[in-house]
Amino acid sequence: MSQMPDDTAADEPIHEPRLWRDNGWTARVIKNNDDDGWAVEMIRQGEPEPALVGPWTMGRDKKSPKPLDTSAFNTLVKTAHEVVRRHEQAQQALWHKELSVMTDTGRVKVTLDITPDEDDPYATLAAFDAEGGTIDSVRVAANFKLNAGSAEAWIAQGYGRPR
């Protein structure tokens, strides 16, 4: 099995039967730890962990893996990119909440953006008018629950630090 090349050649394409690197992605066919089969891992350049690990097809001899080729690599890149995109969307949904409430002065959009800092996680609660202008923003605990009631209470108290 091929060893991963050193970082000095990280941009150079590699097209080997069990190792392909091109366009910012590396596909490596590896022995499947769970059985006698093979798996393929897709790693995006610069990332420490694979974005995708999945089963890989056996070759004709039913012992060694089918070699990687251009078509398979392109399909793996497309699949891995989609997995990364869905993960990023899920992270964004987890760290950003948004809702609108009606007030006497019109619609106010309220957002909560969580900063998941390892030592000091926090969130920013912000209010925006109908034109997108900032009305106010305040730092709150990362576990602040944004819902229609908490947003309305924050607006009713004149913004500032929520109670």
Side-chain angles (χ1 to χ4, degrees):
M1 182 187 278
S2 298
Q3 296 293 318
M4 280 300 289
D6 64 29
D7 288 339
T8 59
D11 294 336
E12 292 296 317
I14 297 172
H15 300 140
E16 297 176 3
R18 293 189 193 177
L19 177 68
W20 274 57
R21 182 176 61 211
D22 217 333
N23 297 323
W25 287 93
T26 299
R28 185 186 337 212
V29 176
I30 56 175
K31 192 75 175 133
N32 189 338
N33 294 331
D34 296 335
D35 61 29
D36 292 333
W38 295 88
V40 64
E41 63 180 11
M42 291 297 295
I43 302 171
R44 187 162 49 173
Q45 186 174 346
E47 295 293 323
E49 298 291 323
L52 173 71
V53 177
W56 189 245
T57 308
M58 292 284 224
R60 288 188 178 160
D61 65 3
K62 301 297 181 206
K63 293 179 185 171
S64 35
K66 177 182 168 188
L68 288 163
D69 60 26
T70 302
S71 177
F73 181 76
N74 290 339
T75 300
L76 288 165
V77 168
K78 183 178 178 184
T79 303
H81 181 69
E82 183 63 24
V83 167
V84 168
R85 189 180 69 75
R86 281 192 305 246
H87 176 74
E88 289 169 348
Q89 287 176 333
Q91 284 297 102
Q92 175 66 12
L94 184 64
W95 305 127
H96 175 82
K97 306 285 186 210
E98 178 176 310
L99 57 83
S100 291
V101 295
M102 281 303 293
T103 68
D104 294 339
T105 59
R107 184 166 300 282
V108 174
K109 179 173 81 171
V110 179
T111 63
L112 181 71
D113 288 297
I114 299 171
T115 302
D117 185 277
E118 200 169 296
D119 297 324
D120 184 25
Y122 66 93
T124 302
L125 183 63
F128 302 90
D129 61 25
E131 288 77 42
T134 302
I135 298 170
D136 204 348
S137 69
V138 63
R139 184 173 168 154
V140 296
N143 64 352
F144 182 86
K145 300 292 183 213
L146 178 61
N147 55 43
S150 65
E152 289 168 353
W154 181 52
I155 293 166
Q157 75 176 32
Y159 304 97
R161 192 162 248 333
R163 295 182 203 140

